[in-house]
Amino acid sequence: MHNRFFLYASLAISCWSYSCSQGVTQSKTTENTTAATSTQTATEVSKVWVADQGDGTYNNPIIHADYSDPDVCRVGDDYYMTSSSFNVAPGLQILHSKDMVNWNIIGYALDYNTPIEHFAKPQHGNGVWAPAIRHHNGEFYIYWGDPDYGIYMVKTKDPAGQWEEPVLVQAGKGLIDSCPLWDEDGNAYLVHAYAGSRAGIKSILVVNKMSPDGTKLLDDGVMVFDGHDEHPTVEGPKFYKHNGYYYIFAPAGGVSTGWQLVLRSKNVFGPYEEKIVMDQGNTSINGPHQGAWVNTPSGEDWFFHFQDVEAYGRIVHLQPMKWVNDWPVIGVDKDGDGKGEPVMSYKKPDVGKTYPVVTPQESDEFEGNGLGLQWQWHANPKATWAFATGSKGALRLFTDQLPEDYKNFWDVPNLLLQKFPAETFTATTKLKFSPNPKLQNERTGLIVMGEDYAHLSLVSKKDGIYLAFNTVDDAHKSTPESEQLLDKLNGNEAYLRVEIDKGALCQFSYSENGNDFKKVGNAFTAVPGRWIGAKVGIFATREDKINDAGYADYDWFRITPNTSSTFQSKK
């Protein structure tokens, strides 16, 4: 068992523990419910999306979840991925693969967002943008741009272990999407883009000289590319050197509609030639761009990129790549013009061996002393929000007071969430609620979170515990929730469920015995958050300030295939 701790505010307190176990945990006694067949292990194979077809081929996406702006590096026979994590904590999830198709989460590079107090409140769409992961002189480095504070770096010798504290490489507004390059002569460089919302300028790429230790920039930078005319919103650059050329791989044209641009030059500061090396072509994969070039030990070349699929976020695809006249061609070039289009299925990379099928973690039985690595908080957490106790086989969430400026759950930091793992799936959780008898309106439950959201919760009243279904449109505009107070529970235990169907249609339901589920209202259509896909998870809140809290014990949280295809459309 590997435990991760992160600090909150300036207090030197252990705040939370995340489990990295590679072993198999014992399953709970099977519950009498259709969702109870899942056994939590760190290498459990998803029941809702597997890219590896088992016959030497794979289907895209390789990860059907919101790992936005993915970057990948290879070290020996191992591949490591990270992605944008924006405002959530812990951030910069680290995924590992042996074959580029099968991935699982092994840790985090960022325990909490900095400045810590600033990110104690949800900072939607802010924080960690478009990271780059590299291995240099025996250490792993990750660089990213925070659009409000500047370019940061973290490093470690063990990507599954503890990473060092973030270093502010360059302070400044609007500095984003940074990527380093260490040259053969010992010099180091960094390429980055600008966020127009902060810098007042965008669609340009700048290269700076960087100290060899990677901790600071040494000059004001040289603009090496201006995309205003032909490649608007050029950003997300990745820096490489190959066959005597410096290459900058950069997306352009917008998140959902863009293309993959590559620049090359014999001089690090240019001038650079340009070429579009992949676009949507005649495929259904919109905006195939922004990601990572990697190769295999045998010399094959591959490219990772995202596809924006709205409520499901920016999911990860893998494309074959080849070099033609010192230009990369990504995907399949059907007409021979040097520009490829993405594939939906393909032969797996030749890595010399066949490895077991693994997928990013989803379900959690809460049997260890830490959460599964799929969980992230809505903001930097407090130590008092949650305690995973393996001896009790449950996750205890204590209710936390709603923020003083609370309008709806868009403002609430203590939401424990994970990414949508597939186009269709079911999330079910079993809980026992023990509210503080001195309080009313303590609440805990299951939520689908985005700019619109819905949650099914248990709420305490004078005469007992009730079920409530709450929805809100345009949460980011401070719209108040609409609540339907449902049945009164006979006791204090319940099973809460949400089924997600095509089009991100979400049907909530509940049960008191784990057998008979009663649907709640009409289906809710999930939508993205700020730069992210919708998420699903749990929470516990209260309205009052008091010296003690009620709590909810979550026995398990399970992701399974849909059990019903009956959905009522939202009115």
Side-chain angles (χ1 to χ4, degrees):
M1 183 71 69
H2 170 71
N3 293 322
R4 297 271 306 184
F5 294 92
F6 52 98
L7 304 178
Y8 172 67
S10 58
L11 301 177
I13 57 174
S14 293
C15 180
W16 190 242
S17 172
Y18 278 76
S19 167
C20 279
S21 172
Q22 298 300 306
V24 177
T25 60
Q26 296 296 314
S27 62
K28 293 179 184 291
T29 302
T30 301
E31 299 286 348
N32 188 18
T33 173
T34 57
T37 59
S38 174
T39 301
Q40 170 70 9
T41 72
T43 56
E44 179 187 357
V45 176
S46 173
K47 296 175 173 60
V48 294
W49 184 261
V50 177
D52 193 326
Q53 299 302 290
D55 59 1
T57 67
Y58 69 92
N59 286 343
N60 273 319
I62 54 163
I63 305 177
H64 204 308
D66 186 29
Y67 290 92
S68 177
D69 313 319
D71 195 37
V72 180
C73 71
R74 176 175 70 86
V75 181
D77 295 330
D78 297 282
Y79 299 85
Y80 299 94
M81 179 189 295
T82 193
S83 60
S84 297
S85 53
F86 298 103
N87 57 288
V88 300
L92 288 171
Q93 286 172 311
I94 307 298
L95 291 86
H96 171 258
S97 177
K98 298 293 287 188
D99 62 8
M100 290 191 264
V101 171
N102 294 285
W103 294 86
N104 70 325
I105 313 168
I106 61 170
Y108 293 89
L110 191 63
D111 294 332
Y112 53 87
N113 283 299
T114 186
I116 296 173
E117 288 290 353
H118 177 73
F119 285 98
K121 295 181 178 180
Q123 299 290 336
H124 299 278
N126 302 332
V128 178
W129 284 22
I133 183 168
R134 292 293 182 267
H135 187 258
H136 174 67
N137 282 350
E139 293 185 296
F140 291 84
Y141 291 76
I142 296 177
Y143 288 77
W144 74 93
D146 181 311
D148 296 306
Y149 292 98
I151 295 168
Y152 287 94
M153 178 271 287
V154 288
K155 68 176 183 174
T156 187
K157 292 183 178 180
D158 177 10
Q162 185 69 44
W163 292 66
E164 295 181 11
E165 289 295 307
V167 173
L168 184 59
V169 176
Q170 180 67 41
K173 285 274 189 179
L175 300 173
I176 59 168
D177 301 3
S178 50
C179 181
L181 175 72
W182 283 272
D183 213 342
E184 296 98 328
D185 60 6
N187 288 318
Y189 305 93
L190 185 129
V191 64
H192 69 84
Y194 282 97
S197 58
R198 274 75 161 186
I201 187 172
K202 63 177 185 176
S203 300
I204 66 169
L205 302 179
V206 171
V207 171
N208 292 81
K209 194 166 183 181
M210 184 172 68
S211 60
D213 65 0
T215 61
K216 60 183 177 180
L217 301 186
L218 302 179
D219 59 20
D220 293 330
V222 174
M223 184 179 71
V224 297
F225 187 73
D226 186 339
H228 282 88
D229 293 335
E230 301 291 336
H231 301 286
T233 319
V234 65
E235 57 189 0
K238 297 295 182 286
F239 223 165
Y240 307 99
K241 194 173 186 182
H242 172 71
N243 201 22
Y245 282 98
Y246 296 92
Y247 288 92
I248 299 174
F249 287 49
V255 170
S256 61
T257 57
W259 51 88
Q260 184 63 39
L261 177 71
V262 168
L263 313 175
R264 76 175 185 186
S265 175
K266 291 284 188 175
N267 187 304
V268 70
F269 293 113
Y272 280 85
E273 304 172 83
E274 65 184 74
K275 186 176 178 62
I276 297 175
V277 298
M278 179 176 62
D279 61 15
Q280 180 172 349
N282 294 316
T283 75
S284 61
I285 303 175
N286 58 291
H289 65 356
Q290 188 151 348
W293 162 43
V294 294
N295 57 19
T296 67
S298 65
E300 289 185 352
D301 296 291
W302 295 84
F303 186 77
F304 294 84
H305 67 89
F306 73 69
Q307 178 195 11
D308 182 87
V309 283
E310 299 180 345
Y312 298 93
R314 302 177 194 181
I315 59 180
V316 183
H317 290 241
L318 177 65
Q319 302 298 335
M321 178 178 137
K322 62 182 180 180
W323 291 93
V324 178
N325 298 324
D326 287 321
W327 285 107
V329 179
I330 300 175
V332 176
D333 181 7
K334 293 184 176 180
D335 58 9
D337 65 351
K339 181 176 66 174
E341 63 181 44
V343 300
M344 283 302 296
S345 62
Y346 208 76
K347 182 181 178 181
K348 289 172 60 179
D350 178 9
V351 293
K353 296 180 182 178
T354 299
Y355 290 95
V357 173
V358 296
T359 52
Q361 296 90 314
E362 298 165 0
S363 300
D364 202 333
E365 296 294 316
F366 305 128
E367 291 180 331
N369 291 325
L371 285 174
L373 292 165
Q374 63 269 42
W375 296 106
Q376 294 170 299
W377 294 100
H378 216 202
N380 285 342
K382 297 178 183 177
T384 53
W385 287 352
F387 294 88
T389 53
S391 59
K392 295 183 178 180
L395 173 69
R396 178 162 292 185
L397 295 186
F398 285 94
T399 64
D400 196 62
Q401 186 181 6
L402 294 168
E404 292 183 3
D405 56 354
Y406 168 83
K407 302 294 191 303
N408 57 50
F409 272 40
W410 190 254
D411 307 318
V412 174
N414 60 317
L415 306 181
L416 187 61
L417 306 172
Q418 62 173 278
K419 302 168 174 62
F420 276 21
E423 184 178 25
T424 66
F425 66 96
T426 296
T428 309
T429 189
K430 180 188 177 185
L431 72 151
K432 181 178 181 180
F433 188 27
S434 302
N436 186 328
K438 299 178 182 179
L439 299 176
Q440 291 188 55
N441 296 314
E442 284 189 296
R443 187 185 300 268
T444 188
L446 179 66
I447 188 168
V448 170
M449 189 67 199
E451 290 193 345
D452 301 347
Y453 70 79
H455 60 78
L456 177 59
S457 63
L458 279 62
V459 58
S460 63
K461 300 291 184 182
K462 277 186 178 181
D463 60 338
I465 298 172
Y466 286 79
L467 284 145
F469 182 56
N470 295 52
T471 59
V472 62
D473 292 339
D474 296 324
H476 57 298
K477 297 180 180 179
S478 299
T479 308
E481 291 184 346
S482 173
E483 180 173 273
Q484 301 174 46
L485 200 61
L486 307 172
D487 296 339
K488 181 181 177 182
L489 286 181
N490 292 317
N492 66 343
E493 296 187 13
Y495 300 76
L496 305 182
R497 172 176 289 175
V498 60
E499 293 179 81
I500 287 78
D501 204 7
K502 292 180 179 180
L505 205 60
C506 307
Q507 179 66 62
F508 284 83
S509 60
Y510 67 91
S511 172
E512 291 192 69
N513 60 16
N515 281 324
D516 306 310
F517 281 82
K518 183 176 181 180
K519 292 184 178 179
V520 174
N522 296 322
F524 160 82
T525 301
V527 302
R530 181 67 170 167
W531 308 130
I532 64 173
K535 293 188 176 184
V536 61
I538 55 180
F539 66 90
T541 63
R542 67 176 188 264
E543 297 176 352
D544 302 290
K545 185 174 183 179
I546 192 173
N547 65 359
D548 200 5
Y551 58 86
D553 286 329
Y554 282 82
D555 192 20
W556 44 257
F557 185 98
R558 294 171 179 160
I559 300 293
T560 57
N562 281 353
T563 59
S564 171
S565 59
T566 305
F567 280 77
Q568 294 176 289
S569 61
K570 181 180 175 181
K571 294 180 180 179

